[in-house]
Amino acid sequence: MAGPHPTVPPPSVDRRRPAGDLALTLVTRPEDCLEVARLFDRIWAVQDGTILDRHMMVALIHSQNYVLLASLDGRPVGAAVGFCGPPGQPFHSHIVGVRPEASGHGIGRAIKEHQRRWCLDRGIATMAWTFDPLVSRNAHFNIRVLGAFPRQYHEEFYGPMRDTVNAGQASDRMVVRWDLPTGTPADHARTPAGPTSSTTAHVALSNQDDEPGGLALDVPPGTTDVLVGIPRDIEGLRRGDPDLALRWRQQTRLALGSLLAQGWQVHDFDDDRHYILRREP
């Protein structure tokens, strides 16, 4: 979730073109805001209330902000809402959602590129959003596919959440910043060069057999890379082993929160589901 947090199709297939006729339409009518609100509530299986009130979306549109509906072969399958802050601040992509049955066809990537073009057309050079650092597919998508990097860790960013996906979990989030290139996406595609679980890196938190290892937050002098692991499928753990999912939250909160506070920055995300952190020069 996106605001709550961004959700995107699995990274292994997200580079593909959508299968079918994908239409990305900026919403202008109140009745379409209702369609977006209903779509979000279906994606997050809301039982009580709504993810984002349609009247708020009408106000956002009136104040020249961003509300988008994505349709595949004429059927609504995704949506996004974002807004601008004070002059010079990033555009905040608050929520992006894709229906599970439509995932894996590049719709999340297409929505992000649409947001990118919308921002550049308005002279906005940076986007920001939040995501759950335990969701590995989103970490891969943000860092490896888009080149958007987490810069801050916040405990309980949204407070208690009522939707089925997030209920009963701490809403810890990392804030991502995406510096927008001015050319075509292909001209600026970035896959950061970095080790993949290098044996010379310091492992602050391992993910051996999907179990969180012991914390090792005392980084030896001269270390260039620090690794923080996350599980393969935190959503599955939340359903099948909530105690283990909670331990992952507690350990990654300590590891990422502490390291970012010490000046380490996320530089990459490797194929073994480790964040790779380096100190900025």
Side-chain angles (χ1 to χ4, degrees), residues 4 18 23 31 40 43 49 51-52 60 72 74 104 120 143-144 148 156 159 177 198 200 205 233 235 249 258 265:
E31 55 266 37
F40 284 148
I43 292 171
I51 288 288
L52 187 60
L60 288 171
L72 190 63
L120 291 174
I143 297 167
R144 300 303 298 271
E156 288 285 12
R177 287 179 64 96
S198 167
T200 61
L205 178 63
D233 178 16
E235 291 128 324
R249 174 66 82 204
S258 173
Q265 292 289 333

Side-chain angles (χ1 to χ4, degrees), residues 3 16 21 28 36-37 74 95 109 112 121 124 132 134 151 167 170 184 194 208 223 226-227 229 234 247 253 269-270:
R16 299 184 339 201
D21 182 17
T28 59
V36 171
I95 182 166
R109 174 70 176 270
K112 279 299 176 196
D121 287 346
I124 301 169
D132 186 337
L134 287 174
R151 294 305 183 206
T184 65
Q208 187 69 32
T223 299
V226 176
L227 305 183
I234 188 62
R247 281 197 284 126
R253 174 186 287 180
F269 185 76
D270 71 20

Side-chain angles (χ1 to χ4, degrees), residues 10-12 15 131 135-147 269-271 275:
S12 60
R15 295 175 184 271
F131 82 104
V135 180
S136 60
R137 70 178 185 277
N138 285 353
H140 179 106
F141 178 78
N142 290 333
I143 297 167
R144 300 303 298 271
V145 176
L146 296 180
F269 185 76
D270 71 20
D271 293 338
Y275 292 99

Side-chain angles (χ1 to χ4, degrees), residues 68 77 102 133 152 162 165 170 182 262:
L68 176 112
V77 293
Q152 299 171 325
R162 298 177 300 175
V165 173
T182 55
Q262 294 173 37

Side-chain angles (χ1 to χ4, degrees), residues 176-187:
V176 170
R177 287 179 64 96
W178 191 22
D179 294 323
L180 306 178
T182 55
T184 65
D187 291 337

Side-chain angles (χ1 to χ4, degrees), residues 13-257:
V13 294
D14 192 55
R15 295 175 184 271
R16 299 184 339 201
R17 293 179 60 84
D21 182 17
L22 179 67
L24 302 178
T25 306
L26 288 172
V27 172
T28 59
R29 304 183 304 169
E31 55 266 37
D32 293 327
C33 291
L34 180 58
E35 182 66 54
V36 171
R38 287 172 172 168
L39 182 61
F40 284 148
D41 291 345
R42 285 195 295 269
I43 292 171
W44 280 283
V46 174
Q47 304 296 325
D48 178 25
T50 186
I51 288 288
L52 187 60
D53 183 79
R54 65 186 176 94
H55 301 113
M56 177 61 72
M57 285 186 266
V58 171
L60 288 171
I61 292 168
H62 179 74
S63 55
Q64 306 298 307
N65 282 289
Y66 183 97
V67 180
L68 176 112
L69 184 63
S71 299
L72 190 63
D73 295 328
R75 178 169 175 260
V77 293
V81 174
F83 45 83
C84 300
Q89 294 300 306
F91 167 83
H92 185 76
S93 175
H94 175 56
I95 182 166
V96 176
V98 177
R99 295 191 66 147
E101 64 269 25
S103 68
H105 296 292
I107 297 171
R109 174 70 176 270
I111 291 173
K112 279 299 176 196
E113 291 295 348
H114 187 278
Q115 290 183 318
R116 169 187 168 276
R117 292 192 301 272
W118 187 92
C119 287
L120 291 174
D121 287 346
R122 289 156 180 79
I124 301 169
T126 307
M127 284 175 55
W129 61 88
T130 66
F131 82 104
D132 186 337
L134 287 174
V135 180
S136 60
R137 70 178 185 277
N138 285 353
H140 179 106
F141 178 78
N142 290 333
I143 297 167
R144 300 303 298 271
V145 176
L146 296 180
F149 294 92
R151 294 305 183 206
Q152 299 171 325
Y153 189 101
H154 294 272
E155 298 182 19
E156 288 285 12
F157 187 85
Y158 296 105
M161 301 176 72
R162 298 177 300 175
D163 64 277
T164 301
V165 173
N166 292 287
Q169 306 166 27
S171 61
D172 289 24
R173 298 291 184 266
M174 284 205 286
V175 177
V176 170
R177 287 179 64 96
W178 191 22
D179 294 323
L180 306 178
T182 55
T184 65
D187 291 337
H188 298 272
R190 180 179 181 186
T191 302
T196 55
S197 304
S198 167
T199 56
T200 61
H202 175 74
V203 181
L205 178 63
S206 66
N207 58 0
Q208 187 69 32
D209 297 324
D210 256 9
E211 291 271 351
L215 288 171
L217 299 182
D218 292 329
V219 181
T223 299
T224 57
D225 296 335
V226 176
L227 305 183
V228 175
I230 61 174
R232 184 182 308 277
D233 178 16
I234 188 62
E235 291 128 324
L237 290 180
R238 286 166 179 161
R239 293 188 298 269
D241 193 341
D243 290 338
L244 178 56
L246 176 60
R247 281 197 284 126
W248 269 113
R249 174 66 82 204
Q250 294 168 336
Q251 296 290 75
T252 53
R253 174 186 287 180
L254 290 170
L256 290 169

